[in-house]
Amino acid sequence: MADGRDEENTDRVQEPQGAAGGEDVFDDPILEQGAVVLRGYVIERINTEDPSRHVCSEDLGGRPGEQQDPQIKEVVEQLLKIADDLNKNAELQRLINQVQGNCAQDIFMTVARSIFADGINWGRVVALFHLAYRLIYKALTTNHLENIRMVISWVLQVIREQLYTWLVQQGGWEGVIRSFSRWRTLAIVASVVLVATFVYYRRSR
């Protein structure tokens, strides 16, 4: 019986369910927490860059109070600290600003695959979140609210297809807290990757 359970658990790790719909995932903790963390990241970035715009989790398809979990708050805080270095890269910001708010899924997935083409680290995860934030912010400011859940669903698809096993190895999203001492190095690597990625994106449009 134990072997059967082990095999079942292995299958669950390899094939997490629920990301494709773009809504909260209740049958997989890593995907569900990923959606919550992404919404927290977006909310905090908007609070910093556009304080007059009041956004809550429900506006992004989440649940009331989901950002009050202390563990979620700490994960989001560490990701934001990594993002601070990304935001200091002027060329990166200029390139990000050229991405259309209504970009197609294939463009988003191409960019995401490029970010993780030669490895995964927390800096690159933040780079993915930062791209999603820019698209969600554009959706909010241009009143294309239907794009918000779509972008979140794309991120969840990337997590499921490219990041899931790595996140399991890190012990889940809390792994970024344990890796905090390396966040500056990871952010610098991520910014270089993102600049190259968006140069590719701009040329391939």
Side-chain angles (χ1 to χ4, degrees):
M1 294 294 292
D3 291 341
R5 284 196 300 270
D6 290 344
E7 182 177 349
E8 180 182 347
N9 289 339
T10 301
D11 290 342
R12 188 175 298 117
V13 169
Q14 292 173 340
E15 299 182 5
Q17 301 296 312
E23 298 181 354
D24 278 37
V25 178
F26 298 102
D27 59 350
D28 190 280
I30 285 181
L31 291 173
E32 181 178 7
Q33 194 174 41
V36 177
V37 169
L38 173 60
R39 286 191 287 266
Y41 179 91
V42 171
I43 290 168
E44 292 303 320
R45 289 246 61 90
I46 292 174
N47 286 343
T48 299
E49 298 185 16
D50 189 358
S52 64
R53 184 175 295 275
H54 302 290
V55 178
C56 63
S57 285
E58 297 94 305
D59 297 325
L60 306 180
R63 300 183 301 276
E66 67 179 15
Q67 300 299 324
Q68 299 308 309
D69 184 327
Q71 194 170 60
I72 294 292
K73 287 183 175 181
E74 189 170 3
V75 170
V76 170
E77 180 182 345
Q78 303 311 324
L79 295 178
L80 289 168
K81 287 178 180 178
I82 296 174
D84 285 342
D85 270 7
L86 294 180
N87 288 329
K88 292 172 185 175
N89 188 312
E91 174 66 8
L92 171 63
Q93 292 305 311
R94 185 177 68 81
L95 291 168
I96 286 178
N97 288 335
Q98 293 183 14
V99 177
Q100 298 298 313
N102 59 347
C103 80
Q105 182 177 7
D106 60 339
I107 295 296
F108 182 93
M109 291 301 173
T110 296
V111 173
R113 282 192 293 270
S114 298
I115 291 173
F116 301 108
D118 59 351
I120 303 171
N121 58 43
W122 288 110
R124 296 183 185 203
V125 173
V126 171
L128 174 68
F129 275 30
H130 199 68
L131 170 61
Y133 154 69
R134 297 302 301 179
L135 295 177
I136 290 172
Y137 182 71
K138 287 183 179 182
L140 286 168
T141 55
T142 58
N143 203 32
H144 287 90
L145 304 183
E146 70 279 1
N147 289 345
I148 295 173
R149 281 180 178 268
M150 182 174 64
V151 172
I152 292 175
S153 75
W154 294 348
V155 174
L156 290 176
Q157 183 177 339
V158 173
I159 292 171
R160 183 187 58 166
E161 295 178 354
Q162 296 184 247
L163 308 182
Y164 192 89
T165 300
W166 181 82
L167 285 166
V168 170
Q169 293 169 348
Q170 306 307 305
W173 292 94
E174 297 79 11
V176 71
I177 300 170
R178 294 187 291 274
S179 301
F180 175 68
S181 62
R182 300 195 302 275
W183 68 265
R184 285 188 179 276
T185 300
L186 300 182
I188 291 169
V189 170
S191 67
V192 171
V193 170
L194 260 187
V195 168
T197 298
F198 279 103
V199 166
Y200 167 80
Y201 165 82
R202 185 175 55 180
R203 292 175 178 173
S204 63
R205 287 173 58 184

